[in-house]
């Protein structure tokens, strides 16, 4: 869209030709299989990061819903964890923990 806007503002025909050549290279890159693979890997990585963040936040929410005080140290450790299996274990422990620190024992 911005490319078309810029092209429409170019008065010089040679400038338009150069602009079209430049833009065709960019379009080629974004349609290239390598570029598509990079985008797909980014989407997968983003979904994984989202799951990790959600699981960490849910673990802390469970403790808060149960009125279990959460120290800054516990919050930081949970939010720093990137292992979904570990976060799952902590979330399960959060349902019965008497203290937030109990997440990390067992």
């Amino acid at each position: 869209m911005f490319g078309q806007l810029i092209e429409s503002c170019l008065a010089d025909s040679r400038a338009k030709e150069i602009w079209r050549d430049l833009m065709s290279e960019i379009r080629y890159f974004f349609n290239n299989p390598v570029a598509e693979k990079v985008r797909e890997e980014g989407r997968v990585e983003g979904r994984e990061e989202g799951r990790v963040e959600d699981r960490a936040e849910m673990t802390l929410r469970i403790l808060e819903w149960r009125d279990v005080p959460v120290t800054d140290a516990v919050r930081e450790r949970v939010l720093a964890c990137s292992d979904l299996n570990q976060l799952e274990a902590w979330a399960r422990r959060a349902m019965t923990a008497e203290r937030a620190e109990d997440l990390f024992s067992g």
Side-chain angles (χ1 to χ4, degrees):
M1 183 167 116
F2 291 114
Q4 290 172 341
L5 175 65
I6 291 169
E7 183 177 333
S8 69
C9 293
L10 295 172
D12 184 334
S13 61
R14 180 71 182 132
K16 279 187 180 190
E17 184 180 324
I18 292 170
W19 179 252
R20 285 186 194 129
D21 289 343
L22 289 170
M23 292 307 294
S24 69
E25 290 298 318
I26 291 171
R27 272 183 250 141
Y28 169 76
F29 173 76
F30 285 107
N31 292 330
N32 186 297
V34 173
E36 182 56 37
K37 184 176 180 184
V38 168
R39 282 192 297 275
E40 180 58 30
E41 288 172 1
R43 284 190 289 268
V44 169
E45 185 177 307
R47 285 191 297 266
E48 182 75 14
E49 287 175 11
R51 281 194 290 270
V52 166
E53 288 174 16
D54 288 346
R55 186 85 39 92
E57 290 173 9
M58 182 55 68
T59 300
L60 295 171
R61 253 185 255 129
I62 290 169
L63 292 170
E64 291 166 0
W65 290 334
R66 296 186 55 242
D67 294 321
V68 175
V70 177
T71 64
D72 288 340
V74 169
R75 182 176 305 282
E76 287 173 17
R77 184 169 174 188
V78 170
L79 293 175
C81 182
S82 61
D83 181 342
L84 278 172
N85 292 327
Q86 183 63 68
L87 289 166
E88 176 73 26
W90 290 346
R92 288 181 185 193
R93 289 183 198 144
M95 292 188 281
T96 59
E98 293 181 23
R99 299 175 319 116
E101 292 78 8
D102 293 344
L103 294 179
F104 312 125
S105 62

